[in-house]
Amino acid sequence: MIEQYVWDLQEIHGGQVAVVGGKGAHLGELSRIEGISVPGGFCVTTDAFRRIMAEAPSIDDRLDQLSRVNPDDREAIRTLSAQIRRTIEGIAIPDDLATAITRALAQHGEQAAYAVRSSATAEDLPTASFAGQQDTYLNVVGPTAILQHVSRCWASLFTERAVTYRRRSGIDHRTVHMAVVVQRMVFPHAAGILFTADPVTGNRKVATVDAGFGLGEALVSGLVNPDVFKVREGEVVAKAIAAKQRAVHVLPGGGTQEVAIDSQRQEEPALTDPQVVRLVRLGRRIEAHFGRPQDIEWCLVDDDFRIVQSRPITTLFPIPETGDQENHVYVSVGHQQMMTDPMRPLGLSMWQLTAMVPMHEAGGRLFVDVTRRLASPASRAGLLDVMGRGDPLVTDALQTVLDRGDFVPTLPDEGPGGPPAGGASAPIETDPAIVTELIERSEVSIAALERDIRTKTGPALFGFLLEAFEEHKRLLGDPLSMQVIMAGMEATWWLNDKLQEWLGEKNAADTLTLSAPNNVTSEMGLALLDVADVIRPHPEVVAFLQGVGVEEEGFLDDLAKLAGGTEARDAIETYLDRYGVRCVGEIDITRPRWRERPTTLVPVILDNVRNFEPGAAERRFEQGRQKAQKKEQEVLSRLRALPDGDRKADEAKRMIDRVRTFIGYREYPKYGIVSRYFVYKQALLAEAERLVQAGVLAEKEDIFYLTFQELHDVVRSHQVDDRLIQQRKDAFRSYHALIPPRVLTSDGEAVTGAYRRDDVPDGALVGLPVSAGTIEGRARVILDLAEADLEAGDILVTTFTDPSWSPLFVGITGLVTEVGGLMTHGAVIAREYGLPAVVGVEQATRLIRDGQRIRVHGTEGYVEILP
């Protein structure tokens, strides 16, 4: 194939990123849109860059070194990247390549002024913008200067910031190549950025224009504050005109300079309202062409807009696809389920197929459409009440949308809104046998599933699973199970409300729920203390476990060779038989379970060995039970001393009995779900193994990037689209950079709620009080359970906790999370263990540093960072 070193922008289309880089491909595509004016120019292709790189073999060694450097070792990155840049800039451009560039220059005007702009193959992509990572040079004049600046652009692929960005984005330096755009300069009256969606709220119907005088560099570099215009449906709906004291202008002989703006002009708008509206209209045309919101660089020359760049806005959270033009309001499932990380396609589709309500996917997360329930006043009240008790930020966000008055239509109460959420359930007697019966039903069903699935393979397996999903949903929606869950929660709410009203005591139910029976999640944490008791007397076993790495999956077999190792292995195996179906992010079937990766538990076991005495599990449970019993006696005694006290005490006693009987079961249905999930997963992975043996799949984990239905099709046809799997892997990687909103509208707006409280000290971090008490201690900011390293008295600070985190709860004194509600798993277990806890603390893991002393006010709902 003959290498082509130069392409004219008019020849380029959007599919040529590998040849002309992201910027070059976008500019070529922009040139093709009718009515869009793009300054002319050409692109020096990645073929030219590869040829230059081949001239210096020493660069290869330095790339090897770069790939091994820790992304946080800034000094090493700075040194190596500077060496690579100097080497590239020192390479003479071969004659034939220089001739191709100067020939293209002559066609566009040899002595004209140009912008010489880097265009890497990994920039301006839908999943990563790389904005500002490589260099641009403005007002470059003459062939010699152009060639020199082309070399500088090649070298800028290895600026310290670009190298660090690639390392953190998981992109190999060798896979990225550099093209260079050489484009005629325009000398604008004004310039700036147009976002075709609001970059802050994500609203796709609101465009934002930033504008300043002179070249856009003044805005990009932060030299001046821009004028900001907001445009919705062809009308400027908001604007802020800044005092623009300086601008960047071009120099006659090349280069640029800062200039002061006359004081009379500083507060003039850089654009008129009609110009802003016209610019946004052009932006909408560009957005429609590329099929997604754009970040567009523009210049105004003689009342004519020139577009000098357009790239996707990569920070916007995607919108669920509905196929209609109606307004929709979505609530995040991840915030309810304590798993806000992205899920792989198989995980998403399996949760959708086994859930009780329809769910919509966006950005690797699931959302429930609550529009119709908000539209009917009766169901709206029930929804807001239940959401408010769980997570006030969700309720406040929903109320913000409702208060606008024009987004959610109003439907009559008898309309399709359905019964009020969390409405009154039928009365249920307080009988422990009910809980026993529900647990037995679930265990019998799981045993039948394990037995019957063994003989199913190929397409027959998928038919069997679809039937199993119906049984799954039947158990999940069992009316008796729902009654028990609601009875426990409603009794808790009743106690908190009435005991505050009658006794002036906040969150009294927190103590009354300590060591409640039948709580599978809290039992799981205590059971790991029993495992530690088996291991503690054997120093050889402890030393061996201290050396076990995350990837050493065969360590259980090696244990048996040590003194006490057989007992240790048997204790761990017994624990895994009961709880090995669990893991962090367990609603995603693709996540490795403890049974598949038992090394995850090793740091927690070692913490338990170090921080506890033998018999701690039984002692802790009994202490909690006695504390709850003592609290019950105290509350009833105080109530009887009140006017009408016998009635109040009798009512409270009935509710306390109800809480003690039913609240523990709240955790069981989730355990039942993940137990069934593990059975499904093992069967699907066995099928994947057969596909690997048949040469259909490269590796069995590739099935995680297919939906359930797609996997069924692959099993039937023995054909797979490898490109689709790769695209899904790339998309999944990019979703980690997105922060899922609690509430999302079909306009793309991420609506953030607020606590709206004035009873919190200045500087404190506000959250939701979910487990009473106040505790002070060292904050341990832990984002990965496998990296836990706790000392007695530590306070756990993390993004979210699902049931798999409960083994850590036995060793901490308090809990702070970014996500959570009154009845989410972390809150339930914190109350069960008597840990002061505040959840829903926005950005807690960023605002609290690991090792800082903090005070957690679990009764009032805030966290103080101490000196």
Side-chain angles (χ1 to χ4, degrees):
M1 189 176 106
I2 298 172
E3 293 174 328
Q4 185 169 345
Y5 296 128
V6 174
W7 289 73
D8 195 272
L9 285 181
Q10 298 284 345
E11 301 175 285
I12 294 167
H13 61 75
Q16 292 176 295
V17 172
V19 179
V20 295
K23 190 175 282 129
H26 271 253
L27 281 168
E29 196 65 34
L30 278 168
S31 305
R32 295 161 174 261
I33 305 173
E34 192 178 338
I36 302 299
S37 177
V38 178
F42 59 92
C43 194
V44 182
T45 67
T46 53
D47 286 340
F49 172 76
R50 273 191 284 266
R51 181 164 168 194
I52 292 297
M53 292 290 278
E55 300 276 327
S58 64
I59 290 176
D60 236 25
D61 297 336
R62 294 202 175 104
L63 287 178
D64 283 338
Q65 290 173 270
L66 260 186
S67 66
R68 292 194 295 269
V69 167
N70 184 317
D72 296 320
D73 188 347
R74 296 183 62 178
E75 189 54 44
I77 289 173
R78 187 178 299 126
T79 303
L80 283 165
S81 55
Q83 289 170 351
I84 294 172
R85 286 198 308 279
R86 279 197 300 272
T87 303
I88 293 171
E89 287 184 39
I91 297 169
I93 297 178
D95 291 347
D96 60 329
L97 177 47
T99 301
I101 294 170
T102 52
R103 191 185 299 126
L105 203 56
Q107 289 172 352
H108 285 275
E110 196 170 86
Q111 290 306 313
Y114 289 86
V116 183
R117 313 172 70 190
S118 305
S119 178
T121 53
E123 73 177 50
D124 298 346
L125 304 177
T127 55
S129 77
F130 282 78
Q133 298 304 316
Q134 285 87 217
D135 290 347
T136 286
Y137 302 95
L138 300 177
N139 200 30
V140 183
V141 180
T144 304
I146 293 284
L147 290 171
Q148 181 187 24
H149 285 87
V150 166
S151 282
R152 286 184 178 175
C153 281
W154 287 330
S156 78
L157 188 63
F158 298 99
T159 61
E160 181 188 345
R161 61 182 181 270
V163 166
T164 304
Y165 191 100
R166 285 196 294 275
R167 282 300 305 274
R168 293 202 165 133
S169 301
I171 294 171
D172 182 349
H173 302 301
R174 282 189 171 80
T175 64
V176 184
H177 303 292
M178 180 68 84
V180 181
V181 173
V182 182
Q183 192 176 19
R184 283 289 290 257
M185 275 293 294
V186 291
F187 304 104
H189 158 75
I193 312 289
L194 159 63
F195 297 96
T196 64
D198 189 314
V200 177
T201 68
N203 195 320
R204 309 307 202 261
K205 291 189 175 173
V206 175
T208 301
V209 175
D210 289 2
F213 294 123
L215 294 168
E217 290 305 290
L219 305 188
V220 174
S221 64
L223 183 64
V224 296
N225 290 325
D227 297 339
V228 180
F229 302 86
K230 302 273 186 188
V231 178
R232 186 181 180 115
E233 293 171 354
E235 183 184 346
V236 176
V237 292
K239 61 182 167 183
I241 307 304
K244 300 170 287 296
Q245 296 173 340
R246 305 189 71 73
V248 175
H249 285 178
V250 296
L251 291 166
T256 62
Q257 68 173 7
E258 291 177 23
V259 296
I261 296 175
D262 295 342
S263 56
Q264 312 90 282
R265 288 189 62 218
Q266 285 179 6
E267 298 199 23
E268 279 181 22
L271 296 177
T272 65
D273 283 10
Q275 285 173 328
V276 170
V277 170
R278 181 153 51 92
L279 173 60
V280 169
R281 207 175 294 132
L282 292 174
R284 292 286 178 221
R285 192 179 295 174
I286 294 168
E287 178 185 67
H289 182 85
F290 286 113
R292 57 186 300 151
Q294 297 288 300
D295 161 356
I296 297 166
E297 296 174 28
W298 57 269
C299 298
L300 181 67
V301 185
D302 301 329
D303 200 38
D304 179 31
F305 285 104
R306 310 284 173 85
I307 305 300
V308 294
Q309 177 59 313
S310 183
R311 60 171 73 90
I313 307 175
T314 58
T315 55
L316 298 176
F317 200 86
I319 308 171
E321 291 180 15
T322 57
D324 63 36
Q325 298 301 307
E326 303 294 317
N327 288 350
H328 295 271
V329 181
Y330 303 99
V331 171
S332 161
V333 172
H335 284 81
Q336 312 300 312
Q337 290 292 336
M338 297 297 91
M339 215 293 273
T340 54
D341 290 347
M343 295 166 68
R344 295 173 181 85
L346 185 63
L348 291 164
S349 67
M350 292 289 278
W351 192 259
Q352 286 171 303
L353 285 165
T354 53
M356 298 301 294
V357 293
M359 293 183 183
H360 304 266
E361 184 272 331
R365 279 80 168 188
L366 291 169
F367 294 85
V368 172
D369 188 344
V370 296
T371 320
R372 305 198 87 167
R373 286 168 72 179
L374 287 175
S376 158
S379 61
R380 177 192 309 155
L383 178 71
L384 293 177
D385 178 53
V386 169
M387 289 286 180
R389 288 182 181 276
D391 185 344
L393 293 178
V394 172
T395 302
D396 191 73
L398 291 173
Q399 193 62 58
T400 300
V401 177
L402 287 168
D403 289 346
R404 293 173 185 163
D406 59 353
F407 193 81
V408 177
T410 300
L411 296 172
D413 284 345
E414 63 272 23
S425 51
I428 184 171
E429 65 175 308
T430 304
D431 180 2
I434 296 173
V435 173
T436 307
E437 181 196 337
L438 285 170
I439 291 172
E440 282 175 0
R441 275 191 214 171
S442 175
E443 288 177 347
V444 166
S445 175
I446 291 165
L449 173 67
E450 288 174 329
R451 181 190 66 234
D452 296 343
I453 206 169
R454 286 182 195 134
T455 58
K456 305 295 188 289
T457 60
L461 169 66
F462 290 82
F464 172 83
L465 283 172
L466 288 171
E467 289 178 20
F469 298 163
E470 292 309 308
E471 166 71 357
H472 182 122
K473 287 193 279 191
R474 191 190 65 73
L475 285 167
L476 206 53
D478 182 332
L480 184 61
S481 177
M482 303 293 274
Q483 273 184 293
V484 167
I485 292 168
M486 286 310 298
M489 293 200 296
E490 285 167 355
T492 304
W493 297 335
W494 188 96
L495 285 166
N496 278 337
D497 292 346
K498 290 297 185 185
L499 296 183
Q500 183 161 5
E501 179 190 332
W502 293 338
L503 300 176
E505 187 170 342
K506 275 189 174 181
N507 301 335
D510 293 358
T511 308
L512 294 166
T513 58
L514 289 171
S515 298
N518 294 311
N519 187 321
V520 67
T521 308
S522 65
E523 288 166 3
M524 180 170 79
L526 296 174
L528 207 58
L529 288 175
D530 292 335
V531 173
D533 285 354
V534 175
I535 289 168
R536 193 179 292 107
H538 304 292
E540 262 192 87
V541 172
V542 174
F544 172 79
L545 290 177
Q546 285 167 340
V548 168
V550 179
E551 302 301 323
E552 289 181 57
E553 299 309 340
F555 80 98
L556 287 172
D557 296 331
D558 296 333
L559 267 179
K561 301 167 190 169
L562 307 171
T566 303
E567 298 96 303
R569 183 195 61 194
D570 292 348
I572 295 171
E573 286 283 5
T574 302
Y575 186 87
L576 290 172
D577 288 343
R578 173 82 169 133
Y579 303 111
V581 297
R582 310 218 84 149
C583 67
V584 174
E586 61 192 10
I587 70 169
D588 182 355
I589 198 171
T590 72
R591 292 281 192 109
R593 312 282 134 176
W594 291 344
R595 171 49 82 187
E596 296 169 302
R597 191 175 291 169
T599 51
T600 308
L601 293 171
V602 170
V604 192
I605 293 171
L606 290 171
D607 283 347
N608 289 348
V609 167
R610 186 173 66 245
N611 296 332
F612 291 93
E613 296 296 320
E618 192 176 339
R619 273 198 309 279
R620 284 191 65 134
F621 188 81
E622 184 55 28
Q623 284 164 0
R625 196 186 64 76
Q626 288 181 13
K627 203 171 172 184
Q629 198 171 31
K630 187 178 171 188
K631 183 69 176 176
E632 176 182 333
Q633 291 164 355
E634 176 218 316
V635 163
L636 297 178
S637 170
R638 288 169 64 196
L639 285 175
R640 287 194 183 98
L642 298 176
D644 196 19
D646 286 344
R647 178 187 64 80
K648 289 172 179 171
D650 288 347
E651 284 187 35
K653 171 62 175 161
R654 276 200 302 278
M655 289 301 176
I656 291 169
D657 288 349
R658 177 163 286 215
V659 165
R660 298 292 302 171
T661 303
F662 293 140
I663 201 67
Y665 178 75
R666 163 78 180 79
E667 290 293 296
Y668 193 85
K670 182 87 174 277
Y671 173 75
I673 290 171
V674 297
S675 296
R676 296 181 73 88
Y677 264 27
F678 190 51
V679 181
Y680 306 153
K681 182 181 186 179
Q682 287 175 304
L684 291 173
L685 282 174
E687 203 57 45
E689 189 61 57
R690 285 188 277 273
L691 291 170
V692 171
Q693 299 290 332
V696 178
L697 291 178
E699 50 191 24
K700 62 182 182 180
E701 285 78 13
D702 282 352
I703 67 167
F704 296 161
Y705 298 93
L706 299 169
T707 66
F708 180 83
Q709 187 55 54
E710 288 167 348
L711 178 54
H712 189 184
D713 292 341
V714 169
V715 168
R716 267 198 302 242
S717 67
H718 265 223
Q719 291 182 314
V720 71
D721 183 345
D722 292 325
R723 284 175 309 169
L724 176 68
I725 289 175
Q726 190 54 53
Q727 285 166 6
R728 296 267 178 84
K729 287 179 178 179
D730 294 342
F732 177 68
R733 196 178 303 117
S734 73
Y735 292 154
H736 282 88
L738 299 174
I739 298 172
R742 282 176 166 82
V743 172
L744 179 68
T745 73
S746 49
D747 285 353
E749 184 178 2
V751 190
T752 53
Y755 285 107
R756 307 194 189 284
R757 288 168 51 190
D758 52 15
D759 60 342
V760 172
D762 288 347
L765 308 180
V766 188
L768 181 66
V770 295
S771 186
T774 301
I775 195 73
E776 188 177 307
R778 179 179 71 154
R780 292 312 316 269
V781 180
I782 297 173
L783 303 179
D784 183 347
L785 184 69
E787 292 172 7
D789 181 16
L790 294 164
E791 299 288 346
D794 283 347
I795 296 169
L796 174 63
V797 180
T798 189
T799 45
F800 57 79
T801 61
D802 60 10
S804 69
W805 286 75
S806 68
L808 287 191
F809 283 28
V810 298
I812 58 176
T813 57
L815 173 70
V816 180
T817 68
E818 294 180 344
V819 176
L822 195 61
M823 282 298 167
T824 48
H825 301 276
V828 171
I829 304 307
R831 290 193 291 274
E832 179 89 4
Y833 287 164
L835 304 173
V838 181
V839 302
V841 180
E842 298 277 77
Q843 298 191 42
T845 58
R846 294 181 185 87
L847 298 172
I848 299 170
R849 290 197 311 276
D850 187 49
Q852 276 186 318
R853 286 196 71 75
I854 61 173
R855 188 179 295 129
V856 178
H857 296 262
T859 308
E860 308 298 332
Y862 63 90
V863 180
E864 290 180 285
I865 299 175
L866 303 176

